[in-house]
Amino acid sequence: MAGLTVITTAWADDWPQFCGPDRNNSSKETGLARSWPADGPAVLWKVDVTTGYAGPAIKERKVYLLDHDGTKSSIRSLELDSGKELWTCSFADPGELTNKKFPGTRGTPTVTDDSLYAVTLFGTVVCIDLNSHEIKWQHSLVKDYGKKLGGWGVAQSPLLYGDLVILAPMSARGSLVALDKNSGKEIWKTAEFAGDGFVSPLFVSIGDEDQILMVSGGAKPEKPERRGGDKGSDKPERRDGDKDSEEPKGDVSRLTYVFSVSPKDGKVLWSYEGWSCNNPIPHPISVDHNMLFITSGYKSISTMLKVEKDDSDYNVSELFKTEKAASWIEQPILANNCLFVGGTVKSPSKGLVCLDLEGDVKWDTNLIQGAPVFNHLNMITADDLLIALDGDSGKLYLIEASPKGFNQLASAKVLAEKGQTWGPIALSDGKLLIRDHTVMKCLDLK
C-alpha cells in the first residue's frame, strides 16, 4: 500500500488535505474535553474570509485556505496558534456562477512538505511552492480537459499518490487525470466515465492492490474497455443535459458510475453501475479492505458494496441497500464499527443516524424526542467523539461515537451566520477550525 503509507506517515498529526490525514474525517488525537462552558469552547482567534465553503488544511502548525474576491483566487497561509497571516499567493481567476444561491469558494488544499495543490471554484489547478510562495505550475480543468463548469462551479480537492496529483475533470477527455506533482506534466488519464458531481478522488487498497476510487454521474461511455466490473446490474436510462437544481423532482434516473483505476497507468480495474444519484457529493467510505459505503442525497439511497478479486478479475456485490440513512453533502463517519450518517432519504440533510455494518439502524435522532434537529451535519471523529457542526444553525455539538445510543455531551452556538455553514472543519493539536461566509475561527477543544 505505497500510496497510503506515504500519506499517513508524513501527515500523522496534521490535517493536510480534504477530510484529514487519511481522507476519512478521522483523527488520532486524544485528550479532548468532554464538556464545554455555557458559551462553548474558547475562541483562540478569528479571521475574515471571503464568501464560500472552502475548507482549511493544516500542516506543521500552518493553516492554508482558498479565498476568491470576484476576479482572483488566493491561497492564504496563517499561523495555527495565533491566526497571524504569513503570506498570500493570488492569481487571476475570473468567472461567475450561474447559480447565485450557493456562492463562493470550494475545495480544500492538499499540502506536502514543500508544495500546495488546490482546485478553485472555476476549475483552476495550481501548485504553489511553499518556500517561494509562488506558483510552480498551473492548469485548468475546464480549458485543458473540457470539464463542465455547471451552475455551482467546481468543488474538488486534489489527491496525492506518490509523485502523482490525481484530479477528476469528469469529462470526455478525462474522467480522472494524473499529473506529475513537480512539473504538472500529464502522466495518464482515464476517459471512460464522463459525468457530473462534486466527488473528490479517494485512495483505497483492495485485494492487495492500490487503487484510485471515483464516483461520477454522467453520459454512458460507448463500449468502454475495462477489466472487471459488476455483472448483471440494472442500468437505468441516462438523461444527458440535466440542469442544476437543489433537489431534482421525481425519482432518480441518472446512472451513476462507481469505478476504480490503477494509479500506475489509469486503467480501469472495476466499475459498479447499480446505484443512481443526480449529483454525487460525498466520496465512498472505505469500511474494510474490500467494503465500501456509498451514499448521497438527491433522493438517492445508501449502499454497501463488497469488492473481491479472483484469479483475473474483480467482482462487485451488494451487501445491503437502505433508505434509512443518506448523507446529502457532508461525509459520513466510520467509528467504533458503525457508520454515522447525517440525514435520511425521506428527509435529506436532516438528523443523525447510527448504522451498523449490516445496515441495521442502531439509533436515529429523527425518532428521539428532544434530540436536536440536525441539518447538514458536518462531522469529524476523534477520541471516541463526534465533533459536529450544524450546517443551518451554526451550533457545534459534541456527541459520543457509540452505537449504544445517542448521547450529546455538549453544544454551543459558535458561528453567528444562520444557514449554509457547510465548509469542512479541521482538527490539529486540539484546535478546531470552522468557518461560515464571513469568518474562520479557531476553537480550543482541550
Side-chain angles (χ1 to χ4, degrees):
M1 299 190 294
L4 185 60
T5 300
V6 170
I7 291 173
T8 56
T9 299
W11 295 345
D13 299 320
D14 294 316
W15 198 274
Q17 62 172 335
F18 179 55
C19 293
D22 296 320
R23 228 165 167 91
N24 60 1
N25 275 335
S26 179
S27 169
K28 296 181 176 64
E29 290 200 25
T30 58
L32 301 182
R34 255 52 183 178
S35 62
W36 300 332
D39 55 353
V43 178
L44 300 177
W45 53 262
K46 59 183 179 180
V47 295
D48 293 338
V49 296
T50 60
T51 297
Y53 314 92
I58 307 170
K59 174 72 173 174
E60 296 178 352
R61 309 196 77 79
K62 296 181 179 67
V63 179
Y64 301 92
L65 182 72
L66 261 172
D67 260 356
H68 188 270
D69 69 358
T71 60
K72 64 181 184 295
S73 286
S74 300
I75 297 293
R76 299 171 61 185
S77 175
L78 306 95
E79 285 185 350
L80 175 62
D81 293 329
S82 67
K84 176 185 176 182
E85 194 104 17
L86 298 173
W87 55 264
T88 299
C89 177
S90 300
F91 49 94
D93 197 27
E96 186 175 0
L97 300 182
T98 58
N99 190 304
K100 307 298 183 183
K101 191 172 183 180
F102 307 103
T105 59
R106 286 104 162 99
T108 301
T110 301
V111 189
T112 67
D113 290 337
D114 58 8
S115 301
L116 176 148
Y117 306 85
V119 181
T120 75
L121 74 161
F122 296 117
T124 301
V125 184
V126 292
C127 170
I128 295 177
D129 187 302
L130 294 184
N131 295 313
S132 67
H133 313 152
E134 295 180 352
I135 295 176
K136 293 169 63 175
W137 54 260
Q138 183 171 331
H139 283 293
S140 169
L141 297 184
V142 176
K143 296 177 181 178
D144 299 339
Y145 291 99
K147 179 173 179 58
K148 293 191 300 180
L149 189 60
W152 297 332
V154 178
Q156 189 175 134
S157 302
L159 172 69
L160 259 67
Y161 177 90
D163 291 330
L164 300 178
V165 180
I166 313 295
L167 304 165
M170 293 188 290
S171 69
R173 279 186 254 167
S175 298
L176 284 174
V177 60
L179 307 178
D180 180 271
K181 71 176 185 178
N182 296 310
S183 67
K185 178 183 177 182
E186 182 183 303
I187 304 301
W188 56 254
K189 62 184 175 183
T190 303
E192 281 92 331
F193 301 97
D196 300 316
F198 303 93
V199 180
S200 293
L202 180 69
F203 169 85
V204 295
S205 183
I206 299 175
D208 295 324
E209 185 169 16
D210 287 0
Q211 305 183 23
I212 306 300
L213 186 65
M214 188 60 194
V215 179
S216 172
K220 185 176 181 180
E222 295 182 8
K223 298 181 180 179
E225 295 181 4
R226 53 184 171 230
R227 307 202 312 263
D230 59 311
K231 297 173 176 60
S233 63
D234 293 331
K235 301 178 182 180
E237 181 180 352
R238 184 47 146 221
R239 298 198 316 268
D240 294 330
D242 287 348
K243 296 181 179 179
D244 290 328
S245 61
E246 181 177 359
E247 186 176 358
K249 304 299 182 182
D251 294 333
V252 172
S253 59
R254 299 178 66 187
L255 182 62
T256 304
Y257 299 100
V258 182
F259 66 98
S260 172
V261 307
S262 168
K264 298 176 182 178
D265 52 19
K267 290 184 178 179
V268 179
L269 300 173
W270 57 267
S271 68
Y272 167 76
E273 301 169 11
W275 179 74
S276 294
C277 176
N278 273 312
N279 270 310
I281 298 177
H283 60 242
I285 302 299
S286 181
V287 174
D288 200 352
H289 68 284
N290 66 347
M291 290 169 58
L292 300 170
F293 180 73
I294 304 168
T295 188
S296 195
Y298 297 98
K299 300 186 177 179
S300 182
I301 62 174
S302 297
T303 302
M304 182 76 82
L305 301 180
K306 187 174 185 179
V307 184
E308 297 178 291
K309 187 178 183 181
D310 55 25
D311 293 337
S312 61
D313 208 353
Y314 280 94
N315 298 289
V316 183
S317 58
E318 298 171 2
L319 297 181
F320 67 79
K321 287 186 174 180
T322 181
E323 295 185 351
K324 295 180 179 179
S327 181
W328 191 353
I329 294 176
E330 290 75 20
Q331 291 292 136
I333 295 290
L334 174 67
N336 293 325
N337 291 315
C338 282
L339 291 157
F340 296 89
V341 186
T344 67
V345 172
K346 293 182 179 180
S347 183
S349 80
K350 302 287 187 181
L352 176 61
V353 182
C354 178
L355 205 66
D356 68 20
L357 302 186
E358 285 73 47
D360 296 323
V361 174
K362 307 305 291 185
W363 49 262
D364 179 351
T365 60
N366 293 295
L367 306 177
I368 300 174
Q369 188 172 5
V373 182
F374 296 126
N375 191 355
H376 286 305
L377 203 57
N378 188 342
M379 299 180 289
I380 63 175
T381 183
D383 205 8
D384 288 326
L385 297 167
L386 298 178
I387 303 160
L389 178 65
D390 186 82
D392 184 50
S393 67
K395 291 187 69 173
L396 186 69
Y397 293 88
L398 197 63
I399 302 165
E400 282 191 351
S402 171
K404 296 180 180 179
F406 172 70
N407 185 16
Q408 175 185 311
L409 301 176
S411 68
K413 187 170 179 60
V414 292
L415 291 171
E417 184 172 352
K418 181 175 173 60
Q420 297 187 21
T421 54
W422 300 345
I425 59 181
L427 178 69
S428 179
D429 191 29
K431 297 174 176 64
L432 183 74
L433 298 185
I434 60 172
R435 66 158 298 167
D436 57 19
H437 283 288
T438 61
V439 66
M440 181 169 70
K441 293 183 179 181
C442 179
L443 308 181
D444 185 3
L445 296 191
K446 287 190 174 180

